[in-house]
């Protein structure tokens, strides 16, 4: 079928064939069901039991949908908001126990039919290797347009291979909030002009494809010992956001409290340019 909304009322999930290329399908999931809805002031009829039932039904539907797509020779992008995995700043799992295994089993069983898994939620540029070092593919975590978690706004332009439709790369575009918000007289020398600009292309930055789980596993291993590579990853993770750079400069250059306070008064204003300012 071109579209399947049979899960829409129960879970908010759906599947639809899109684009000019035949056999290209998007499967959208409501992965909020895999976490604790009360954290987001959300409720579902039937309470926690109703939520768990809806989550398990959605996972069963996902497995069936992916197998049907595989049999039909379709290529599938799975998309949702909350990704599987752990938030490293809180050491907290995003999904409740049991859901990750069921999800990765469904994706792994579909094999090459799944060409991309796209998520957000963290507001940071990141990725996850699923199913044991990537056996179930790679989850790409896109940064957000909202800068509320010390990140510059960003969006991605995904690159597909024309014949196979494989998602092999992306270009990430960013908005430099500090340059955008600072008065012209106070903008950083050599900074961007305040408009959207290409931040980086994944394959050029890291030397591998975004869909090559083995290469990405080696990349992560290299980051454990390669300090410049790790620094690049961390800069990209927050979309080149540099919180409190002027604050830290004051501490380095002003050993006396009076000089530090005067420097900090200016620094507070400069650091604020990295935030989303109200419109005038």
């Amino acid at each position: 079928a071109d579209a399947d909304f049979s899960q829409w009322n129960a879970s908010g999930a759906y599947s639809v064939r899109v684009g000019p290329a035949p056999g290209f399908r998007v499967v959208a999931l409501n992965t909020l069901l895999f976490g604790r809805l009360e954290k987001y002031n959300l409720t579902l009829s039937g309470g926690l039991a109703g939520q768990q039932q809806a989550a398990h039904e959605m996972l069963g539907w996902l497995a069936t949908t992916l197998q049907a797509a595989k049999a039909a020779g379709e290529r599938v992008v799975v998309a949702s908001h909350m990704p599987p995995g752990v938030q490293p700043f809180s050491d907290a799992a995003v999904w409740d126990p049991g859901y990750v295994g069921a999800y990765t089993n469904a994706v792994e069983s579909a094999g090459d039919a799944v060409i991309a898994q796209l998520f957000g939620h963290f507001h940071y540029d990141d990725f996850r290797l699923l199913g044991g070092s990537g056996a179930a593919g790679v989850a790409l975590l896109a940064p957000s347009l909202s800068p509320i978690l010390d990140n510059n706004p960003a969006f991605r332009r995904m690159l597909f291979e024309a014949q196979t439709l494989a998602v092999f790369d992306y270009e990430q575009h960013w908005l430099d909030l500090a340059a955008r918000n600072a008065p012209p007289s106070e903008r950083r020398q050599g900074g961007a002009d305040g408009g959207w600009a290409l931040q980086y292309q994944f394959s050029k930055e890291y030397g591998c494809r975004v869909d090559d789980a083995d290469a990405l596993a080696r990349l992560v291993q290299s980051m454990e010992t390669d300090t410049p590579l790790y620094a690049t990853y961390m800069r990209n993770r927050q979309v080149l956001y540099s919180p409190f750079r002027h604050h830290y400069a004051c501490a380095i250059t002003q050993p006396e409290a009076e000089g530090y306070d005067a420097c900090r008064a200016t620094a507070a204003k400069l650091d604020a340019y990295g935030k989303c300012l109200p419109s005038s």
Side-chain angles (χ1 to χ4, degrees):
D2 287 343
D4 178 1
F5 290 93
S6 61
Q7 272 287 308
W8 178 254
N9 289 335
S11 67
Y14 63 91
S15 167
V16 60
R17 194 156 51 196
V18 297
F24 182 76
R25 181 172 296 277
V26 172
V27 174
L29 303 177
N30 176 16
T31 51
L32 284 171
L33 294 174
F34 298 157
R36 295 291 178 177
L37 292 181
E38 62 267 21
K39 291 192 301 183
Y40 308 100
N41 296 317
L42 299 172
T43 57
L44 197 69
S45 60
L48 179 59
Q51 175 189 340
Q52 291 172 338
Q53 179 179 349
H56 286 295
E57 289 179 356
M58 183 174 66
L59 283 168
W61 170 84
L62 171 66
T64 300
T65 299
L66 293 182
Q67 287 301 313
K70 179 180 179 180
E74 294 180 336
R75 308 289 270 170
V76 179
V77 171
V78 178
S80 193
H81 179 70
M82 287 173 50
V86 173
Q87 292 177 322
F89 54 83
S90 65
D91 293 332
V94 182
W95 295 0
D96 286 347
Y99 294 126
V100 174
Y103 170 81
T104 55
N105 286 341
V107 171
E108 187 173 357
S109 296
D112 293 340
V114 176
I115 57 174
Q117 301 171 71
L118 308 180
F119 297 90
H121 186 61
F122 289 167
H123 291 229
Y124 297 141
D125 172 354
D126 217 337
F127 61 91
R128 296 289 184 268
L129 302 176
L130 303 180
S133 298
V138 181
L140 299 176
L141 280 56
S144 64
L145 291 173
S146 167
I148 62 172
L149 293 181
D150 290 340
N151 61 286
N152 279 307
F155 67 89
R156 288 176 177 171
R157 177 173 175 261
M158 310 305 295
L159 303 180
F160 295 78
E161 289 182 339
Q163 297 300 319
T164 66
L165 299 181
V167 177
F168 69 97
D169 204 357
Y170 64 73
E171 296 173 347
Q172 188 156 292
H173 297 260
W174 74 302
L175 185 68
D176 185 341
L177 284 181
R180 182 74 171 179
N181 292 325
S185 62
E186 298 178 8
R187 288 180 181 172
R188 300 192 297 270
Q189 292 296 318
D193 63 2
W196 289 98
L198 176 65
Q199 179 196 344
Y200 77 97
Q201 184 172 336
F202 190 93
S203 62
K204 294 179 179 179
E205 190 85 319
Y206 297 111
C208 60
R209 297 168 56 114
V210 299
D211 61 345
D212 189 338
D214 291 338
L216 291 175
R218 292 192 296 271
L219 177 71
V220 174
Q221 187 175 26
S222 296
M223 284 196 296
E224 295 181 6
T225 55
D226 187 332
T227 300
L229 176 61
Y230 175 72
T232 296
Y233 162 78
M234 289 302 296
R235 284 196 305 271
N236 290 334
R237 188 173 185 273
Q238 291 185 245
V239 194
L240 307 183
Y241 184 80
S242 301
F244 310 121
R245 71 166 73 190
H246 304 288
H247 184 177
Y248 295 146
C250 292
I252 293 170
T253 60
Q254 301 294 330
E256 299 288 344
E258 183 177 355
Y260 173 80
D261 289 343
C263 179
R264 184 70 184 94
T266 301
K269 180 174 64 174
L270 294 175
D271 285 328
Y273 297 150
K275 299 294 184 181
C276 209
L277 301 183
S279 57
S280 57

